Amino acid sequence: DAMVIQNPRYQVTQFGKPVTLSCSQTLNHNVMYWYQQKSSQAPKLLFHYYDKDFNNEADTPDNFQSRRPNTSFCFLDIRSPGLGDAAMYLCATTWTGNTEAFFGQGTRLTVV
Amino acid sequence: GEDVEQSLFLSVREGDSSVINCTYTDSSSTYLYWYKQEPGAGLQLLTYIFSNMDMKQDQRLTVLLNKKDKHLSLRIADTQTGDSAIYFCADSSGGYNKLIFGAGTRLAVHP
């Protein structure tokens, strides 16, 4: 059974049109992450939540925001997607002190 | 900042051993990881090693860590076509198990 679920698996959006990607988890983990993976590149951390505390990476563009309304759900909002934002977006979760982070299947975002 | 580097491509014959290498810069890494990514899929944790260990074996997988040289390797014994994927090395940096990934090594297994 999938434990970290990302919807949709594929998302096409128009240049400049706000888009939201979602992630849900059944593991009751307190830490959730969003990574961006561009083609043939390493996944790069955008931000993470420790419980309700939002932690932005220093080089994450302002165009990217996140919401975590409860333990189970986390959203990635891209306010004005550009062509350079086309990527696979990966959600992951863990519990503080765990060695393993659990990844979802990812959402592949295309910007047209 | 911290950096993780890997060679980008490895081709092996089915049944041979594969060795994927990785170097990292963060001397305070607590855990080092190997993830596997199949086409169009998310990341699957294969194995990890604690920084005070030299070696860890898990079935066909052997991880070697040279902490002095900051070098990590993953050996896959008896490589099969199902092992064809991209393999990412990662280290945990800072708190909350944030991961710094290498660019990934694409492993191609041919008959």
Side-chain angles (χ1 to χ4, degrees):
Chain A
D1 291 335
M3 295 177 288
V4 182
I5 302 162
Q6 292 188 242
N7 283 308
R9 292 288 312 277
Y10 302 92
Q11 175 75 57
V12 180
T13 192
Q14 290 179 336
F15 182 93
K17 183 176 179 181
V19 65
T20 295
L21 310 182
S22 74
C23 176
S24 64
Q25 54 127 340
T26 59
L27 299 162
N28 205 33
H29 284 165
N30 65 330
V31 187
M32 293 186 78
Y33 312 85
W34 280 104
Y35 288 85
Q36 178 193 60
Q37 184 183 19
K38 294 188 179 181
S39 181
S40 301
Q41 294 185 24
K44 181 175 176 297
L45 183 65
L46 293 173
F47 24 62
H48 76 275
Y49 274 93
Y50 174 67
D51 292 327
K52 293 183 180 180
D53 294 334
F54 176 71
N55 298 272
N56 206 27
E57 292 301 296
D59 54 357
T60 298
D62 291 340
N63 198 24
F64 291 84
Q65 303 287 323
S66 185
R67 293 171 285 135
R68 189 179 186 185
N70 53 54
T71 301
S72 300
F73 285 88
C74 195
F75 300 100
L76 170 62
D77 301 309
I78 308 176
R79 290 192 296 193
S80 181
L83 297 178
D85 297 325
M88 173 80 91
Y89 290 87
L90 296 162
C91 173
T93 75
T94 194
W95 186 261
T96 310
N98 262 10
T99 53
E100 180 175 358
F102 292 80
F103 281 81
Q105 291 283 71
T107 294
R108 182 168 297 282
L109 179 69
T110 301
V111 182
V112 298
Chain B
E2 297 84 6
D3 194 23
V4 177
E5 292 192 358
Q6 305 176 233
S7 53
L8 295 182
F9 189 75
L10 176 66
S11 178
V12 300
R13 193 182 301 275
E14 191 174 11
D16 287 351
S17 293
S18 308
V19 179
I20 302 172
N21 294 300
C22 169
T23 57
Y24 61 97
T25 59
D26 185 6
S27 58
S28 65
S29 295
T30 307
Y31 291 95
L32 293 135
Y33 300 84
W34 285 103
Y35 280 85
K36 177 182 180 182
Q37 186 176 40
E38 297 185 13
L43 296 170
Q44 173 196 355
L45 179 66
L46 285 178
T47 187
Y48 62 90
I49 188 166
F50 189 48
S51 59
N52 69 352
M53 296 171 64
D54 298 325
M55 186 182 86
K56 180 179 180 181
Q57 188 150 2
D58 185 359
Q59 297 182 329
R60 292 191 297 125
L61 305 178
T62 302
V63 179
L64 296 178
L65 175 60
N66 182 328
K67 198 172 180 182
K68 174 176 169 290
D69 294 338
K70 298 192 182 77
H71 182 267
L72 182 74
S73 69
L74 173 70
R75 178 176 179 269
I76 306 172
D78 187 25
T79 312
Q80 302 298 307
T81 54
D83 295 323
S84 295
I86 300 176
Y87 291 81
F88 290 93
C89 170
D91 80 53
S92 55
S93 174
Y96 311 118
N97 204 21
K98 296 190 293 183
L99 297 172
I100 308 293
F101 286 90
T105 299
R106 183 177 294 275
L107 174 65
V109 182
H110 55 88

